[in-house]
Amino acid sequence: MKRVSISFFSCAMLLIGAVQPARGSDEKVYDILENYCFDCHDEASKKGGLDLMAFVEKGHREGSLIFENLVTGKMPPADKKQPTQEERVIVLEWLANRQEGKEPDSFRRISRHEFVSSLNDLLGIDLDLGDEIPEDRGTNNFDSSRKIKLTREMLGAYFSVADRMLNHAFPAGGFPIERQWITNKVRDSHESYRIYHRPYEGGTLFSWTRANNGNSYSFFYDGFDPPVAGWYELTFDAAKVAEFQDGMSLQVHAGKYYYADDRPQPQRLVGVISLGNRDLESRTIRVFLKPGENISVHCYSRHNFRERNPNRGIYIKQLKVRGPLVDSWPPASYSQVFAGLPLKADSRVNGKTERFQTNLQKIGGSVMVSSSQEGMEKEKLQDGSSLTFWHTRFSPEVAKPPHYVIFENPNGAVIEGLSFATWQGGNGNGLVKAYEIYFSNDGKTWGDKVMDGGLDVRLANEQPIVFPQETTSRFIKFLVTDAVSLDGKSIASIGRLDVVASLVDEAGTSVVRVEANSPEVLKSVLRDFAERAFSSKLGEEDLKPYFDVGLQELAKHGDFVMAAKVGLKAMVCSPRFLMAPGEHANDSFAKAADLARALWLSVPDSELLAVASSDGLHGDTLRHQIHRMLDDKRSGRMIRSFSDQWLNLRGLNKVTPSLKLYPLYDDLLDHYLPLETRAYLQHLVRGNLSARTLIDSDFSFLNQRLARHYGVEDVIGQELKKVVFPEGSPRGGLLTMGSVLKVTTDGFNTSPILRGAWISKNIVGTPLSPPPESVSAIEPEHGNAKTLKEQIEQHKNNKTCFACHKAIDPYGFALENFDAIGEWREQYKIKQAHRSTFTYRPQGYFKTGGRVDASGEIGSEKFTDIFGLKKVLLAEERQIAYHFAKTFFEYANGCEPTLTRRLHLWNFLGEDPANLRLKNLITEVLVESLNEAKK
Amino acid sequence: MSHYRRREFLKFGAALPLAMQSLSLRGETGAKEKNPPKRVIFICNSLGFYAPNFFPSKRDDFESSTYLKEIAVREKMTVFQNLFHPGMETSNHDSEKSFLTGVPRPEASQFVNSISLDQVLAEKIGRGTRFPSLSFSIYDRGWGCSWNSRGVAIPPMSDERKIFDRLFGEEDLTARRRQIENDRQVVKSLYRDMERIQKQGGDLTKIESYRAVIGELEAQLKHQEFWLKTKKPEVPDTLSNDQEFAFSAKVRNLLELSKLAFQTDSTRVITLSLDWIYGAITVPGATGGWHTLSHHGGKADALAKLSRIELDIVRNLNRFLSDLDGIKEGKGTLLDHTTVMIGSNFGDSSNHICKNLPTIVAGGGYRHRGHSVLEKPTPLCNLFLDLLHAHDMDQESFGSSEESLGLLS
């Protein structure tokens, strides 16, 4: 609020604006203040803690708060004598001039998100490694803040992330061959959940269930483990099996397989497939997977919660996986960085399809057993499920001990141990309690006992048996030494038994070679990259450090690509890349770099560079380029980054709503809420809609899940689309979006103070003095609206609080009709106790309490609900647009606009209603910050 | 069929009934030296402790404190009353920035911080370990208690799995060596790059600030290369996955990692920031927003919930202290060689008042004095100065220190 700064691009404009005020201007200002202000703001009255006389006399420079009150017409108050526009401007300019001289930092570091997306664009890859770099924004408003300094930790992270991205673009050993897997095998799950799916027409039919702790319960697929980190295409052959109208959602998750836990960890949602059709369809999503992750599915529809042995639900015939994918071949990374050089690429696809195999099958082994009962043969050990089992013979006569399983390891694979799973779902007869292990090389003579151990018969999950030392023995015997017997007979049963082996992934790689090795060619590759990365044309002397490090590597190892990689790494870790502004060959290059960073979180593209190289980024061309950049899909990054920070949406998934109060809250909603906000803002900006649409409109971007959340009918399917709200809907605009409503609460109760503060800080930009140092807050106590309102009314009795809170809290009152997840409510909910451990149920644990009172008063405007508040805010459209402009300026520049610039923006908004349109406004903010004199 | 790798076996071992081979580390530390090394950990409970529950109401009687009576190792701790940071009697949440630096007015817009106590100590006692210092926080928050010599925040780590991996995860040594060599080449070229930019008239402040950072990185590379010669210690994965009390599990895990790091002598200096500003958290007996509740305004129901949260923290701290005290080292225990300072930047967070900061010093082998009530408000930095002296650093002052009090001996 009080930070002051000068934009970094150049100081030319400011110097013009900062011409010393004529002598006597202090006196003129003094007269105006005397006329209109001193009545309340002198030494004696000091209203709002402001002594304007002292401000003038003592030469305080920081007058932002006074400026904001004056420029937006908040002061003098409406019922007091008003200065003429001319007088107002005199004071505003005086304040602006007075503020000059406070130098902000002249440069900033680029943020981790800018680093990662710049590298993606430069290298033609798509790798989201933002999370691998520490967060360093702290409590600053935006990532771009100039107060944030580069640290060793950050630079170290950039070094290693650059390596990872370069290796992804140009893998030293080539690209892992693309493969295909087909599976219809669902892994075993806990008995309390496996009843919610069943075999169906060669595949599986899934009902919807949530785990007892409320997480989405996911069923895991077997038969595919991502061999390397990369992009994979998952194709589900699936159909909706149900009569109802709603579409069903196939939520695809990635995570580590679990079994024995009936309160599972949440999984990572990687995609959603909407099934509205009853016919089998092949539906494909693209996901990024890492080794160790497995694919799981959660089949959601509100109509079939926990149907046992379901007859309705989602039928998945099979899952086909293809990957790791490379979009074009040879890959874009090569054609981009080594443009024009001849490339030689191996063939990419091996055409082989892999199906489910146990480890024993993978090493070419086989299994023998001491005896078996019909229908419970040894194959059951190796079918990937512990619901089916091997059993020693008991009919017609009981097999005599010893009972054992022998694995043959014909190729001498390295075996580290065994993996055992007990038979699930039976009467317990035959479950193994203890075992011994023997090795042999001929299957006849067995050495000494290698180890023995006990097994937990109640544990359904896999139980690992680690050999003291890994072995390549040809035969391994698992001897049963004790087992449960209900009738005293000697028997044994096992659900699954497999070997644990180090498996070599033999898929191989396909290599791309760059047919070049001369130092001159290397230099030209680096020179081209430098122009794109630095948005400048550097001289040979400037490029020498990058050349040298590359040439050295080339001379040492003779590997052209490796040499290029070192040079590229030096560039992206250089201050030229990491600190903005850089040194540019001309002004246009500098502007291009700033624009690309602000709008794409990246570097300029070839069109922008072409304009810049002839220094043509001015006037209409500049505006045209900004529009083009906003229309480009890369601007989606800006929309995301800007809205995440401006509206605090980065904290969205840190708020976990109470499932007792809001049982229908789920990860699908959590996934789509911010997407709605982004889609909406993107539409406003690209469509150049007016700033009033930030407050209200009759549409948003919804899917079935969001529509249901908002009580909108007839939206089917989970793809976001533009939906017009029905007449009388309170939705429309940012304030009534679930994302905003959720992030302004603690997930249990709503607090009008917090929501009010959010609106006044982020949307209205109410100029407020900082809160007094001694404050105590009010904790909302729900179900008892009266008390809450009474408590807040106490603010009124306390003059210090009321001075500001009368301008904050009422905004929050109007949102009281929205609960902590953003659903409409007329009455509060009161949480009820549950017995022992919380167990999820769709009806939750609550009863209804007092009625909501959403009325309030802001300034002299009264309203009874959100509709009224929107009207009040819409009347202030210029103020809303002004605050948006200032916020966007700060986002783009890492510092707040100076008062001179604010005055300019405020005037711009008053000139023409078209200037309130968001694309025009963003363009003007950027042009302003690039210091182009306004026409 | 999932396929376990050998190492994963060991990791999962402890959690499974087939309990694995008992671990060689249990019950002793990995420190090699004859005289056990000194360690320090600073734990900042950034949202404060409710003072009436924290300080003993009867002098010298820990039983009269709702919180302190939870702590078992009473004979090895001292509670200080009446400490504060001069120039910071009231502040806001930015006060945490100055918790270990003592720089006044952290809430001011032009605030510039200085080096934090842990970093000063790391210079002296941290160099001999793989990680000269470590800094943790509950969530990804950009800054915590540790500030480098240029007064810039050292971003704390918050993901316990990633921390575990950094401390104990296997690495491909050949690849790491090649990596460091490659990094060094790049660093060298960047020095020349800077010279060039400077010659061309680039922004001097910018270049200087980059130069400082790359110098630090270069030193770190050297350090890392040295440590490649020593294998990382192997420890069981004892981190909790508790979903019901996820917040509590997180606190416990960060303390567990601290314990393991000290036990394996992977580091000797740690800072840990504890707070939560987002939605409600659930601890045994209460659910609520910790930050919101910390502004209790004296209301009984808010205080009841807040106390549950703070009690949960204290119980986790107690577990940590007891764990350290259960690990033998030399003639004493790991706790005897570890200074554990538990404190806060707030004395009364409800009113953002930073007087009478709740402060505990435990372990470290000091002659502990139980409940030490200072006669007049005393700079916390005096205690910090004592701490430096106790680590053989003969500074004359630190931050706002006035004099050495000889509180730690």
Side-chain angles (χ1 to χ4, degrees), chain A residues 112-188:
Chain A
R112 56 178 179 160
H113 302 291
E114 290 162 343
F115 182 84
V116 168
S117 38
S118 298
L119 255 64
N120 274 325
D121 289 351
L122 284 165
L123 300 175
I125 55 174
D126 183 8
L127 204 55
D128 186 8
L129 293 183
D131 288 347
E132 304 291 320
I133 305 169
E135 156 74 282
D136 65 346
R137 174 165 74 123
T139 39
N140 292 293
N141 287 343
F142 290 101
D143 286 334
S144 55
S145 172
R146 287 165 190 237
K147 290 187 162 184
I148 307 169
K149 304 289 177 221
L150 188 66
T151 57
R152 181 192 75 189
E153 287 73 15
M154 293 303 275
L155 188 60
Y158 287 146
F159 266 63
S160 81
V161 166
D163 275 329
R164 286 178 60 182
M165 295 184 84
L166 284 163
N167 284 333
H168 185 78
F170 313 110
F175 293 82
I177 289 263
E178 182 183 306
R179 287 190 273 172
Q180 181 165 296
W181 295 261
I182 292 180
T183 177
N184 66 351
K185 186 147 206 61
V186 179
R187 290 184 196 233
D188 289 341

Side-chain angles (χ1 to χ4, degrees), chain B residues 39-41 71 73-78 80 320-321 324-325 333-342 360-369 387 390-391 408-409:
Chain B
R39 294 89 159 182
V40 284
I41 178 168
I71 298 181
V73 294
R74 294 179 197 179
E75 71 290 356
K76 291 189 181 179
M77 64 185 255
T78 306
F80 293 97
F320 173 64
L321 293 171
L324 292 188
D325 205 32
T333 70
L334 181 51
L335 182 61
D336 297 330
H337 309 123
T338 305
T339 302
V340 181
M341 189 194 142
I342 300 163
I360 297 174
V361 173
Y366 308 111
R367 193 165 49 77
H368 283 286
R369 42 197 92 208
L387 208 59
H391 288 83
L408 300 173
S409 51

Side-chain angles (χ1 to χ4, degrees), chain A residues 106 131 135 138 147 151 163 222 454 464 498 500 542 546 569 573-574 581 583 654 746 748 773 775 779, chain B residues 1 4 9 18 90 109 141-142 152 162 179 182-183 193 196 203 206 210 243 278 280 287 292 301 350-351:
Chain A
S106 57
D131 288 347
E135 156 74 282
K147 290 187 162 184
T151 57
D163 275 329
D222 205 343
D498 196 5
V500 176
D542 292 329
Y546 317 119
K569 178 172 165 188
C573 293
S574 138
E583 287 68 30
K654 292 202 174 82
D746 64 3
F748 285 72
E773 278 162 340
V775 286
E779 172 71 355
Chain B
M1 175 120 339
Y4 288 95
F9 263 145
L18 279 191
T90 61
S109 64
R141 76 217 277 280
V152 180
K162 281 188 189 161
Q179 177 83 44
N182 179 296
D183 283 355
D193 189 30
R196 187 64 208 162
D203 184 331
K206 190 173 81 174
Y210 184 86
Q243 286 277 300
Y278 296 99
T287 294
T292 326
D301 48 348
S350 182
N351 293 308

Side-chain angles (χ1 to χ4, degrees), chain A residues 729-902:
Chain A
S729 168
R731 309 285 171 171
L734 296 175
L735 306 183
T736 49
M737 273 187 191
S739 58
V740 166
L741 292 164
K742 182 192 171 201
V743 83
T744 50
T745 71
D746 64 3
F748 285 72
N749 300 319
T750 55
S751 157
I753 302 177
L754 289 181
R755 281 180 171 168
W758 186 94
I759 295 179
S760 94
K761 173 173 181 277
N762 298 319
I763 304 295
V764 185
T766 319
L768 294 174
S769 321
E773 278 162 340
S774 171
V775 286
S776 57
I778 290 163
E779 172 71 355
E781 200 52 69
H782 271 257
N784 203 344
K786 258 192 180 160
T787 324
L788 175 65
K789 212 148 187 184
E790 269 168 19
Q791 288 171 39
I792 294 173
E793 297 286 305
Q794 283 175 357
H795 270 150
K796 280 191 182 166
N797 304 331
N798 182 334
K799 266 192 161 176
T800 336
C801 298
F802 189 57
C804 289
H805 277 272
K806 67 177 176 187
I808 301 177
D809 304 349
Y811 295 126
F813 290 148
L815 295 182
E816 275 297 277
N817 273 125
F818 301 93
D819 66 21
I821 61 170
E823 278 189 312
W824 180 262
R825 67 180 171 195
E826 307 272 344
Q827 286 176 295
Y828 290 103
K829 286 176 178 174
I830 301 170
K831 205 163 62 182
Q832 302 263 278
H834 54 79
R835 273 193 215 158
S836 67
T837 324
F838 170 80
T839 299
Y840 177 80
R841 61 179 202 195
Q843 69 270 34
Y845 297 85
F846 61 84
K847 61 178 191 192
T848 44
R851 291 193 67 78
V852 171
D853 173 5
S855 64
E857 184 177 350
I858 207 96
S860 53
E861 304 286 338
K862 288 198 164 94
F863 56 84
T864 51
D865 52 23
I866 181 65
F867 297 96
L869 176 70
K870 283 185 181 179
K871 278 201 196 99
V872 174
L873 292 174
L874 286 174
E876 304 268 353
E877 189 182 6
R878 186 174 174 189
Q879 158 91 38
I880 305 280
Y882 171 65
H883 186 65
F884 179 88
K886 280 197 300 174
T887 309
F888 194 84
F889 185 100
E890 188 180 348
Y891 158 79
N893 293 285
C895 56
E896 292 184 319
T898 59
L899 301 187
T900 311
R901 290 176 185 283
R902 291 187 210 183

